[in-house]
Amino acid sequence: MTERRHLPHAADPARAGETPTVLLRGGEVHSPADPFATAMLVERGHVAWVGSEGAADAFASGVDEVVDLEGALVTPAFTDAHVHTTSTGLVLTGLDLSGARTLGEALARVRDFAAARPGDRVLLGHGWDAARWPERRHPSRTELDEATGGRPLYLPRIDVHSAVVTTALLDLVPGITALDGYHPDAPLTGAAHHAVRAAAHGAVTPAQRARAQRSALRHAASLGIGTVHECGGPDISDEGDFTALLELAGEEGLPRVVGYWAEAVTGAEDARRVRELGAAGAAGDLFVDGSLGSHTACLHEPYADAPHTGTAHLDAAAVAAHVAACTEAGLQAGFHAIGDAAVTAVVDGVRAAAETVGLHRVRAARHRVEHAEMLTPETIAAFAELGLTASVQPAFDAAWGGDDGMYAERLGAERARTLNPYAALLRAGVPLAFGSDSPVTPLDPWGTVRAAAFHRTPEHRVSVRAAFTAHTRGGWRAVGRDDAGVLVPGAPADYAVWQAGDLVVQAPDDRVARWSTDPRSGTPGLPDLTPGNPLPVCLRTVVGGHTVFVRPNE
């Protein structure tokens, strides 16, 4: 990919706060406006035209910059609809245990990390998953005390719904042993977990936080992600972290951030405060339950490997009150719900709110449900009826699905096979927005699309095209924008340029996939994401006409 500049002006318009007029040509442009497009014109931060190579000649002399794509693919930039940005950055710059293959290896990494960070007030890590280790157990507090030399350490499980910590960190939280979720010999959950997390993150300096946030956003840009939905809230981070991130994202040269603040709204005053924080809605991780991995997702029937049904944080009445208040205030509402009982509580609560404020107003608000893993035909139909967006994470199935995965261990194979039914959601007309829940699973947009298209349960698979749409246009629709996430004239110039192999049209049924690669189908192609094939490599990411990432030497 090469550039030829035509800048006779005294100053680069991008540096003056303006966006340059750019003609991209000589590649493949993924656009429903023209399935055979090879060129695109960007003007004033928006797509001005897409079309053929021959027609591009008419624009070449009147632009600031011509980019010769040299056969590269241009697509809409991805939107990751569920991210914890600071935590993602702290993982990128800190201790990541997601690759540890054994408990012993994890403890060795803790020991090395502590030795390399003698000045840190609190040691921060992430990503352990005892279900993947041959020892099948979490690190004990005694082992962590020894590995850290008695220093404070906060080490959440990969799902971030429980954590193991050292004695020194517990000592920083007065009254910790009296809080719900405190376990002397097991990971902390609930209020106890939130308390130690607040203490650990409270030790992060503003400079460390800014480095972590910038690192996460730059990493996102390098993967072709133009927008992230930050899921913050008082049980996850703090107001200072949230507002600092939104301010940082306003800087030129970073992806945009749409912020959600997960705090219950009871009336107009609460809604006003959410807006003053800069949030797009009182949504995201407003917890109705916890997670399957930590045995805190709320179920109708007990876990297969534990004699209880998890934890309920909100009931249908609380859901109804929040949705009604948000709808009255013109604010988007949303919830974290994973277990089938939690999803039922959400559906019952939203339906009750609709009876109070009107179904048409609830549908128009596009309220969201994060994760929504354990669905039934009845709750899927309710999502469609109530206009709920399912903000989901296909990488969860890739990580924990299958008959031998964590889901099957927690629920039994039969229940586990019902999880994450993306095809049924699409058939019912439920809007999907794809994300990662990073750092729970990594930022990895093409890997996410692949995970949905090659779901471990075949009947839940969707086409690559549908999955790609959910990870691009779906994220924009989830914030109430129907004019973005697609490369057509008038849309925001949020796009990514990719080094990719052959372009095909893949569907769950191989017969459809073979037919639709015929150019006569008129369907824009996408990279072949068959497992084992290399994923596309991002060469450039552009947000609103501003370049936020260029791969070195490209």
Side-chain angles (χ1 to χ4, degrees), residues 116-122 151:
R117 304 255 179 154
D120 286 8
R121 288 183 286 176
V122 172
R151 295 167 62 191

Side-chain angles (χ1 to χ4, degrees), residues 4 51 63 85 136 144 150 161 182 207 216 224 261 271 281 291 302 324 362 405 420 448 527:
R4 298 192 298 276
V63 299
T85 307
R136 309 292 291 181
L144 294 175
H161 284 271
Y182 174 80
W261 186 251
S291 73
V362 166
N420 301 302
T448 295

Side-chain angles (χ1 to χ4, degrees), residues 55-436:
D57 290 337
F59 300 104
S61 62
V63 299
D64 298 314
E65 182 180 346
V66 177
V67 177
D68 183 351
L69 295 168
E70 298 177 357
L73 170 68
V74 182
T75 72
F78 286 101
T79 292
D80 193 308
H82 194 118
V83 175
H84 304 287
T85 307
T86 303
S87 294
T88 297
L90 290 172
V91 169
L92 291 170
T93 59
L95 173 61
D96 182 5
L97 295 182
S98 60
R101 294 162 294 182
T102 67
L103 172 60
E105 182 180 339
L107 290 170
R109 292 189 183 191
V110 171
R111 189 175 294 108
D112 292 344
F113 184 77
R117 304 255 179 154
D120 286 8
R121 288 183 286 176
V122 172
L123 301 169
L124 300 171
H126 171 78
W128 62 269
D129 186 358
R132 298 178 180 176
W133 295 340
E135 298 90 348
R136 309 292 291 181
R137 70 172 180 85
H138 60 83
S140 71
R141 191 181 308 160
T142 300
E143 289 169 328
L144 294 175
D145 286 346
E146 186 278 326
T148 60
R151 295 167 62 191
L153 167 71
Y154 171 65
L155 203 58
R157 190 186 179 277
I158 192 167
D159 59 11
V160 202
H161 284 271
S162 61
V164 290
V165 301
T166 56
T167 303
L169 183 58
L170 292 177
D171 290 342
L172 299 179
V173 187
I176 182 68
T177 60
L179 294 179
D180 289 342
Y182 174 80
H183 310 283
D185 298 311
L188 305 181
T189 60
H193 176 218
H194 296 159
V196 295
R197 175 166 56 192
H201 285 181
V204 175
T205 67
Q208 286 176 307
R209 180 179 64 200
R211 282 196 299 270
Q213 292 172 343
R214 189 174 283 108
S215 175
L217 293 177
R218 286 177 175 167
H219 181 58
S222 76
L223 299 171
I225 297 171
T227 301
V228 301
H229 295 181
E230 165 67 14
C231 291
D235 289 334
I236 301 163
S237 53
D238 59 57
E239 293 183 8
D241 179 89
F242 186 76
T243 56
L245 172 64
L246 297 182
E247 182 178 352
L248 178 70
E251 297 179 5
E252 188 175 314
L254 292 172
R256 71 166 56 79
V257 175
V258 176
Y260 285 98
W261 186 251
E263 190 165 9
V265 171
T266 59
E269 181 61 25
D270 290 340
R272 182 188 61 79
R273 204 178 68 79
V274 169
R275 284 197 177 94
E276 287 178 348
L277 289 174
D285 280 333
L286 184 54
F287 295 115
V288 178
D289 67 345
S291 73
L292 291 165
S294 291
H295 291 99
T296 52
C298 190
L299 313 181
H300 284 305
E301 300 295 332
Y303 284 87
D305 61 348
H308 61 81
T309 57
T311 305
H313 298 299
L314 297 175
D315 60 13
V319 169
H322 180 68
V323 171
C326 286
T327 304
E328 291 282 11
L331 194 65
Q332 196 176 20
F335 304 91
H336 162 120
I338 287 179
D340 51 1
V343 173
T344 297
V346 169
V347 165
D348 290 348
V350 177
R351 184 174 285 121
E355 292 172 357
T356 301
V357 302
L359 177 60
H360 68 288
R361 294 180 67 192
V362 166
R363 289 178 59 86
R366 303 193 191 190
H367 302 309
R368 300 170 53 136
V369 184
E370 309 298 318
H371 316 308
E373 294 200 76
M374 292 185 72
L375 292 158
T376 65
E378 293 75 21
T379 51
I380 290 172
F383 270 48
E385 172 199 354
L386 299 166
L388 297 173
T389 295
S391 172
V392 295
Q393 295 74 40
F396 287 8
D397 174 73
W400 302 309
D403 288 350
D404 298 321
M406 183 271 288
Y407 289 153
E409 183 176 321
R410 294 289 185 270
L411 302 172
E414 184 176 350
R415 269 196 297 177
R417 282 192 287 269
T418 68
L419 265 61
N420 301 302
Y422 303 136
L425 285 163
L426 284 180
R427 284 195 300 269
V430 176
L432 296 183
F434 281 178
S436 62

Side-chain angles (χ1 to χ4, degrees), residues 14-61:
R15 292 186 181 178
E18 302 172 2
T19 56
T21 300
V22 179
L23 175 65
L24 299 98
R25 62 186 307 177
E28 302 279 353
V29 179
H30 186 86
S31 171
D34 183 346
F36 308 110
T38 62
M40 181 172 75
L41 179 69
V42 173
E43 188 174 33
R44 296 192 178 100
H46 288 76
V47 176
W49 169 85
V50 294
S52 67
E53 192 63 26
D57 290 337
F59 300 104
S61 62

